[in-house]
Amino acid sequence: MLDQNSKRILVTGGAGFLGSHLCERLLNEGHDVLCVDNFYTGSKGNIAHLLDHHRFELMRHDVCFPLYVEVDEIYNLACPASPIHYQYDPVQTTKTSVHGAINMLGLAKRVRAKIFQASTSEVYGDPEVHPQREEYWGRVNPIGLRSCYDEGKRCAETLFFDYHRQHGLRVKVGRIFNTYGPHMHPNDGRVISNFIVQALRNEPITLYGDGSQTRSFCYVNDLIEAFIRLNATADEFIGPVNLGNPDEYSIGEIAQKIIDLTDSKSTVVYKPLPSDDPTQRCPDISLARDKLDWQPTVRLEDGLQRTIAYFAERIDLG
Ligand code: NAD
Ligand code: UDP
């Protein structure tokens, strides 16, 4: 018999780090999940455990091209997220953000689906306002190495709001701050995966700059909970809303924490700071607390332990 609460949900970028966790969560809630991915940075390994599920379907497709499917909701996550991945083919990154958003919004308009956009704290650029609130418009370099991602995501937000105003589309925009956990790619160059892999192999920890730049790290399960809550809010609430953990650490502190937790012999080596690397980042999550009744629950040490255990099982320790 048809379950009245079960929806057909499209997750673009569903084979990626966040997408694979989201697909699993949606299946557990009884929904039909269509995972669309071109495997640019994601992998079948991330969703291998879902492939046999009778309500899970996988489609290889690039969101830069139109997609004709019938769904009730869409989570638009397709886009490389790590700086080395999104800077590898910057033109493609902008296309994925912008053409991908246009195609998925067009699909949502045709089938009258609700659509969620995985936006990012990068819309704030290298912020002068700290912590970052949603009203802050950001300080973004439009022509730098990070611009393909930052401006692509900003333009996607514009498109979401214009489709909402112009076509009455039901949209939700979540601005995601640094998130970590199992299913991160071991070589994606993001700080948590890099440091854990280096520490487990007792190789030098590559600290960019002097390590005083800050980030705030959210464990993946907490973030997925926020996605679900945001999508369940009344149609009037569309965001943008910051989704992240407000506990802020310097990258130097993160290096030391990971060395301690892995009992590693690694030493720290200093490397040049990449251009436009934000000096500080921390979400003000008052709006998420208020509208979603949400805040992160997983302590950094606990989340790191789980992530370390995941990598320790999978990487070659030499
Ligand atoms: P990820 O790289 O692991 O996942 C992205 C997925 O999108 C991959 O499976 C990739 O193959 C797929 N993809 C890329 N281009 C595509 C295209 N043209 N067509 C179809 N699929 C495509 O990254 P993630 O960390 O899971 O990030 C997911 C989303 O969340 C991204 O939109 C990212 O910008 C956003 N986000 C993530 C973080 C974070 O800390 N993880 C922070 C801010 C925003
Ligand atoms: N970083 C570092 N060493 C690494 C990888 C990253 O010191 O091996 C720093 C990077 O310069 C940045 C922070 O860690 O200041 C977070 O980097 P990440 O690529 O994870 O995400 P970002 O927030 O910069 O998009």
Side-chain angles (χ1 to χ4, degrees):
M1 203 169 89
L2 201 63
D3 176 354
Q4 296 298 316
N5 296 318
S6 172
K7 300 195 182 90
R8 298 162 302 172
I9 304 184
L10 163 63
V11 179
T12 77
F17 162 45
L18 299 179
S20 55
H21 286 274
L22 178 61
C23 287
E24 183 172 344
R25 172 73 189 262
L26 294 170
L27 285 172
N28 288 341
E29 295 198 347
H31 301 297
D32 277 8
V33 174
L34 171 59
C35 167
V36 161
D37 205 297
N38 69 349
F39 300 108
Y40 186 63
T41 52
S43 72
K44 284 202 184 133
N46 281 343
I47 46 164
H49 60 302
L50 309 178
L51 289 174
D52 288 337
H53 198 294
H54 65 287
R55 280 184 280 99
F56 183 75
E57 202 179 339
L58 174 63
M59 184 190 279
R60 181 189 285 268
H61 176 81
D62 183 331
V63 294
C64 295
F65 299 94
L67 178 66
Y68 292 90
V69 292
E70 309 306 314
V71 291
D72 306 305
E73 286 184 8
I74 301 168
Y75 285 86
N76 187 37
L77 272 62
C79 186
S82 105
I84 57 163
H85 283 159
Y86 69 65
Q87 289 170 22
Y88 176 74
D89 186 349
V91 172
Q92 183 58 38
T93 299
T94 304
K95 283 186 185 169
T96 293
S97 281
V98 178
H99 291 183
I102 291 172
N103 287 324
M104 293 310 109
L105 286 161
L107 169 63
K109 180 172 164 241
R110 182 176 67 79
V111 299
R112 306 307 301 172
K114 173 155 65 178
I115 179 165
F116 164 95
Q117 168 67 354
S119 191
T120 169
S121 53
E122 287 283 326
V123 300
Y124 302 121
D126 190 2
E128 316 100 318
V129 170
H130 196 72
Q132 291 80 57
R133 291 178 62 86
E134 290 83 354
E135 297 78 40
Y136 176 53
W137 290 353
R139 184 166 72 120
V140 176
N141 176 356
I143 55 168
L145 297 180
R146 295 175 90 105
S147 311
C148 57
Y149 183 75
D150 298 12
E151 298 289 20
K153 288 285 188 178
R154 284 169 68 95
C155 184
E157 284 201 9
T158 307
L159 285 160
F160 269 70
F161 276 77
D162 281 335
Y163 267 79
H164 171 69
R165 283 185 289 252
Q166 200 174 329
H167 299 298
L169 219 63
R170 292 176 297 151
V171 304
K172 306 278 179 190
V173 176
R175 288 185 179 155
I176 306 166
F177 284 64
N178 296 62
T179 301
Y180 69 100
H183 298 187
M184 288 184 95
H185 195 291
N187 299 325
D188 79 359
R190 285 186 268 196
V191 67
I192 299 282
S193 42
N194 261 15
F195 285 1
I196 290 179
V197 170
Q198 290 162 347
L200 287 172
R201 290 181 175 149
N202 293 308
E203 288 171 354
I205 303 279
T206 52
L207 192 58
Y208 303 159
D210 63 5
S212 63
Q213 72 273 31
T214 69
R215 295 292 187 275
S216 313
F217 295 96
C218 186
Y219 188 66
V220 60
N221 293 10
D222 279 332
L223 186 80
I224 300 299
E225 177 65 30
F227 285 10
I228 302 290
R229 288 187 188 213
L230 173 54
N231 248 29
T233 53
D235 288 348
E236 292 68 42
F237 182 66
I238 64 179
V241 55
N242 289 339
L243 306 175
N245 191 319
D247 290 343
E248 185 180 2
Y249 295 89
S250 74
I251 298 302
E253 285 176 297
I254 295 292
Q256 194 52 54
K257 231 177 233 308
I258 290 176
I259 291 174
D260 293 344
L261 288 171
T262 50
D263 210 7
S264 174
K265 298 186 184 62
S266 294
T267 52
V268 170
V269 292
Y270 292 87
K271 302 267 182 189
L273 191 67
S275 76
D276 292 336
D277 199 286
T279 44
Q280 51 181 10
R281 179 183 294 156
C282 178
D284 180 322
I285 60 164
S286 315
L287 187 63
R289 282 199 172 101
D290 179 31
K291 298 287 187 186
L292 316 182
D293 188 23
W294 173 87
Q295 63 182 10
T297 57
V298 180
R299 289 172 51 242
L300 181 65
E301 285 73 14
D302 298 335
L304 285 177
Q305 292 281 22
R306 293 186 216 173
T307 313
I308 289 165
Y310 172 82
F311 280 118
E313 263 183 30
R314 280 162 185 83
I315 60 165
D316 182 6
L317 295 179

